[in-house]
Amino acid sequence: MEAVDLSWNQVLEQIKELGLKIKKDNFKPDILIGMIRGGLVPTRMLSKELGCNDIYCLRVRYVKKGKERTRNVRIIHGLNVDLTNNKVLIVDEIADSGETLRLVTDYIKFFNPSEIKTAVIHLKETSKFNPDYFLVKVNKWVNYPWD
């Protein structure tokens, strides 16, 4: 499969653009929630761009059947925080199948936030979940500098 290799500078510029897109929409999150592993770096970078210092993390993993990865995802490490009446932005680096963002959005609803939005740098054309914010649509594998 063809791949795109990104440098730190490219990611930083893309995060700045994504932050501007979110600001232009007048969405000011109170809390950012990042996905452990791939979403941690973009979450921290976006927190700076958006001036939001409250960051929490979720660990989501695809269920394996033997050595094969299934399409089922589950939350391995959840949250223990009050999100009631807070505006929440869920952040990941990419929406591949979209299953992670779908699962996490449904999970966060149980915490009664006033608003939930999702943001990714890259959106795969095959994703079944459309995030509120994304910067680039891709049909290739993306290699991030933190991988």
Side-chain angles (χ1 to χ4, degrees):
M1 175 183 273
E2 207 174 323
V4 174
D5 295 319
L6 295 176
S7 70
W8 283 105
N9 286 337
Q10 288 172 309
V11 171
L12 183 58
E13 287 306 311
Q14 290 178 344
I15 288 289
K16 286 180 181 181
E17 286 181 54
L18 185 59
L20 282 174
K21 200 173 198 181
I22 294 166
K23 287 177 187 177
K24 284 181 183 176
D25 193 38
N26 291 316
F27 183 64
K28 296 177 183 138
D30 302 304
I31 295 171
L32 299 183
I33 297 176
M35 301 303 103
I36 293 175
R37 296 187 15 166
L40 287 179
V41 173
T43 301
R44 172 58 183 100
M45 290 173 149
L46 263 181
S47 76
K48 183 177 179 184
E49 293 301 315
L50 300 174
C52 180
N53 294 324
D54 287 333
I55 299 174
Y56 296 93
C57 298
L58 281 174
R59 186 170 181 199
V60 178
R61 183 179 289 167
Y62 278 88
V63 178
K64 287 188 176 184
K65 189 175 185 179
K67 292 186 179 187
E68 296 290 316
R69 184 173 99 165
T70 69
R71 288 304 225 176
N72 300 325
V73 292
R74 67 179 192 178
I75 295 171
I76 303 297
H77 178 78
L79 294 175
N80 185 16
V81 64
D82 185 9
L83 300 177
T84 305
N85 297 321
N86 283 289
K87 292 179 182 177
V88 174
L89 181 65
I90 300 166
V91 181
D92 211 350
E93 84 276 39
I94 192 167
D96 192 344
S97 70
E99 288 301 312
T100 298
L101 289 171
R102 181 200 52 76
L103 175 70
V104 171
T105 300
D106 289 345
Y107 173 75
I108 295 300
K109 288 177 184 175
F110 287 105
F111 291 85
N112 299 312
S114 61
E115 196 170 359
I116 303 171
K117 296 220 177 200
T118 54
V120 296
I121 305 168
H122 298 100
L123 172 63
K124 283 268 185 96
E125 293 176 354
T126 55
S127 177
K128 294 178 183 164
F129 183 94
N130 289 313
D132 297 289
Y133 308 104
F134 69 92
L135 196 59
V136 182
K137 247 187 185 177
V138 295
N139 61 5
K140 299 176 182 177
W141 186 263
V142 181
N143 292 315
Y144 297 94
W146 54 87
D147 282 341

